[in-house]
Amino acid sequence: MEVGQMDHDVIVVGTRAAGAATAMLLARAGLRVLAVDRARFPSDTLSTHQVQVPGIARLGRWGVLDRIAAVTPAVPVVRLDAGSAVLEGRYPAVDGVDALYGPRRTLLDAALVDAARAAGAEVREGFAVEELTRDPEGRITGIRGRLRGEGRGRGPDSGRMTATARLVIGADGKRSMTAQAVGAGSYHVRQPVTFACYSYWSGVDVPPGSIHVRSGLTVPAFHTNDGLVMIAMFAPMAEFDRFRADPEAGYLAALDRCGDLGERVRAGVRAEPFRLAPDVPNLFRTPHGPGWALVGDAGVVMDPVAGQGISNAFRDAELLAAAVVRGLDGGGLDEALAGYQRERDAAALPVFAMTRALATLRVSGGQRLLLSAIADDPAETSRFLGVLAGAARYDEYLRPGNVLGRLGGGVVRRLRRLGRPVTAACVGGGRAPTVAGDATDATPVSG
Ligand SMILES: Cc1cc2nc3c(=O)[nH]c(=O)nc-3n(C[C@H](O)[C@H](O)[C@H](O)COP(=O)(O)OP(=O)(O)OC[C@H]3O[C@@H](n4cnc5c(N)ncnc54)[C@H](O)[C@@H]3O)c2cc1C
C-alpha cells in the first residue's frame, strides 16, 4: 500500500551536514520541505569531524552552536609540527568565532536534524530513497522509497512512499544516488591519493589541537566529546594494502614518527575500534538540472586530509538555499541554480587546490622555510592558520607579494639559489585552478 502522495516545495535526500542545514534554511525561509535519510539520528558516519572556524561561525549564525559548544571542547590554538619547523598559534576570528570544534557526528548531525525540524521541515528518518520520479519531459518531480526497520509495517509494499516536489535536492553524500539517477556530470576529477585511519582515545595527554606532518604522513589529534581524543593518520593510498593487514601496528608506527605521540597514545586506552577510510574521491559534479540540485559531498567531494568537507557543506547549503528561495520566488529556478554553481565553484576551487596540495603529504623545503620565518610572529602564524582553516583564500595567500614579504629577503635568496619557484613553495606548493575550469595538477616542491 502506498503511504500517500505528498506535495512539497523541496525534498532533500540526506540529512547530515549538507542536507539538514539546507532543509533548515529553506524551512526558515517559509518553504514546505520534506527531508529524508535512511539513517536514524543520532547516527555516526565514517568521518573525523574537525569543523573549521568558518563552519563553526555558520553554526553560530544558525543558532546551532550553543548546543554543540556546551559539550565539546573549543580548540582556539593549534600546534603544527612539521619536524624541523613547528608553529603554534591562534585561529583568526570569523564573525566573532575564533575556535575550531570537533563534535562527534552523532552530536553534530542530530543537532542539525533537530534544527531543521524546529524550523518546520518534515524530517523522515529511516527512509531510503530508491528512485526519483520524472514527468514526461524528464524533469525530476519527486522521490519513491521505503521506510526501513521500526514503524515499517508488514507486506511487500509496507512503508513505501512517493512524494512530489518542485525541486529534489541530493544531499546524499559522495556516492550520491541522486547524482547517479540524474546522470550528473563530473569535472576536476582527481584520483584518490590518501587513505585515513582513526580512532578515539582516553587518558592521552596531548594539546587540544595538533597536526603532525611528516613526509608521506599527516596526523591530526583533536579533543572531542566525552573526554576523548580523536587521532587520525593520513598516508599515501599506495600503502593501503600493506597497512590494512595490521592497522593497529601501522597506526602506532605512524604515530611513532611524530615525536612522543606514539608513546603518549600507548599510555592511554583506545575507546573505540579503528576506522579505515580508503574511499576518498576528489571531484566536482554539475550541481543542478531540471527539477534537481546537489549539495555537500554529493556536489563537491575532496580529500579529507584538510578537514574541509563539513565546512564546505555548510557554505554550499547557504548558497543553494539562497538560490532556491530566489528561484522559487519567481526569479527563475534554473537560472538561480546556475548562479549557485558559479558561486559554489568560485568558493570551493581555492579550497580544492589547497586540499590537493596537502594531500600530497609532502613538506617542501620552501614550506619549512616559510613556517620557520613566521613561527615567531603570532599575527603571521594566525594568518597562515586562517588559510589552513579555509578562512582566508589559499590563492590570495600565494600571491608573490604576500609570500615574498613573509619570507624576507634572505630566505628568498636561498630559495632562488636552490632554483625553487618561491610562490609555489608554500602551504602545499600548489597553484589554485581557476574558476574557468583549469584544474591542472598542483606542482609541489619536495625539500
Ligand atoms: C575519513 C574521513 C575524515 C573526514 N574528516 C573530516 C573533518 O575532520 N572535517 C570535515 O569538515 N570533513 C571531514 N570529512 C568529510 C566529511 O565527512 C564530509 O564532507 C561530510 O560528511 C559531507 O556531508 P554531507 O551531508 O554532504 O554527506 P554525508 O555526511 O555523507 O551524508 C549523506 C547522508 O545521505 C544519506 N543517504 C544517502 N543515500 C540515501 C538514500 N538513497 N536515501 C536516503 N538517505 C540517503 C546517508 O544516510 C547520509 O546520512 C571526512 C571524511 C572522511 C571520509
Side-chain angles (χ1 to χ4, degrees):
M1 183 188 69
E2 294 269 313
V3 171
Q5 183 85 5
M6 305 173 85
D7 190 25
H8 301 270
D9 293 317
V10 180
I11 294 171
V12 183
V13 183
T15 64
R16 289 191 189 270
T22 305
M24 173 194 75
L25 294 168
L26 291 173
R28 284 182 183 173
L31 298 183
R32 292 163 306 152
V33 179
L34 169 66
V36 301
D37 200 302
R38 63 186 172 207
R40 291 179 189 275
F41 296 88
S43 155
D44 206 355
T45 188
L46 185 65
S47 169
T48 65
H49 32 78
Q50 288 77 255
V51 184
Q52 306 292 339
V53 180
I56 294 295
R58 285 198 164 85
L59 288 175
R61 222 156 57 216
W62 298 342
V64 182
L65 180 57
D66 285 353
R67 173 168 164 190
I68 287 160
V71 291
T72 312
V75 183
V77 172
V78 72
R79 187 169 191 277
L80 177 63
D81 179 332
S84 57
V86 180
L87 269 192
E88 184 162 351
R90 301 188 71 86
Y91 287 108
V94 176
D95 295 343
V97 173
D98 63 358
L100 167 159
Y101 290 77
R104 295 294 296 261
R105 295 297 293 265
T106 41
L107 170 65
L108 176 67
D109 296 343
L112 287 163
V113 165
D114 289 349
R117 273 204 182 100
E122 179 185 344
V123 183
R124 295 215 174 190
E125 301 175 34
F127 183 88
V129 175
E130 292 170 340
E131 59 181 318
L132 304 185
T133 58
R134 292 174 159 82
D135 70 11
E137 280 76 51
R139 190 176 184 92
I140 300 300
T141 55
I143 58 168
R144 194 169 286 136
R146 186 190 288 265
L147 200 61
R148 303 163 90 183
E150 209 182 307
R152 181 165 55 97
R154 290 159 190 259
D157 285 334
S158 62
R160 290 192 64 78
M161 181 182 78
T162 302
T164 56
R166 297 157 80 187
L167 181 71
V168 174
I169 295 177
D172 45 353
K174 61 190 171 195
R175 300 282 164 221
S176 171
M177 169 259 161
T178 311
Q180 283 169 31
V182 299
S186 34
Y187 50 103
H188 299 327
V189 181
R190 293 290 176 271
Q191 289 305 307
V193 289
T194 75
F195 72 91
C197 174
Y198 66 98
S199 191
Y200 297 88
W201 300 82
S202 64
V204 172
D205 182 17
V206 288
S210 68
I211 304 170
H212 285 83
V213 187
R214 299 289 184 268
S215 180
L217 180 68
T218 294
V219 177
F222 284 86
H223 289 208
T224 182
N225 306 112
D226 306 318
L228 299 179
V229 182
M230 187 290 305
I231 305 180
M233 55 157 289
F234 294 84
M237 194 60 194
E239 294 174 11
F240 182 67
D241 282 342
R242 190 156 45 91
F243 182 90
R244 77 170 154 195
D246 189 347
E248 179 163 18
Y251 177 92
L252 291 172
L255 270 46
D256 283 335
R257 293 181 55 206
C258 304
D260 61 2
L261 187 58
E263 211 175 296
R264 285 170 188 261
V265 162
R266 284 187 187 84
V269 175
R270 181 157 57 80
E272 297 188 21
F274 286 108
R275 270 101 159 167
L276 276 177
D279 177 24
V280 291
N282 302 277
L283 59 87
F284 284 54
R285 289 199 182 98
T286 302
H288 68 98
W292 61 270
L294 302 174
V295 68
D297 273 12
V300 176
V301 60
M302 45 186 87
D303 193 299
V305 68
Q308 294 290 337
I310 298 167
S311 299
N312 286 343
F314 290 170
R315 179 200 63 223
D316 296 346
E318 268 187 354
L319 293 175
L320 177 58
V324 171
V325 169
R326 267 196 323 271
L328 291 181
D329 208 24
L333 184 57
D334 295 345
E335 201 179 309
L337 292 177
Y340 159 62
Q341 178 173 9
R342 283 193 298 275
E343 289 173 341
R344 182 201 69 169
D345 286 8
L349 276 166
V351 182
F352 190 58
M354 175 181 77
T355 297
R356 283 174 40 222
L358 294 178
T360 63
L361 305 174
R362 282 183 247 172
V363 188
S364 71
Q367 289 155 19
R368 284 206 184 84
L369 286 175
L370 178 73
L371 294 179
S372 308
I374 64 176
D376 294 333
D377 184 334
E380 279 308 328
T381 297
S382 177
R383 197 158 177 268
F384 180 82
L385 294 177
V387 174
L388 290 187
R393 283 184 66 123
Y394 168 76
D395 48 351
E396 294 282 317
Y397 189 85
L398 287 188
R399 270 193 296 118
N402 278 340
V403 174
L404 298 182
R406 247 142 226 113
L407 289 175
V411 173
V412 172
R413 278 192 294 279
R414 268 179 71 190
L415 275 174
R416 289 217 170 106
R417 272 203 304 276
L418 290 168
R420 302 289 199 224
V422 177
T423 54
C426 308
V427 186
R431 86 183 159 84
T434 63
V435 179
D438 165 22
T440 47
D441 278 324
T443 49
V445 183
S446 299

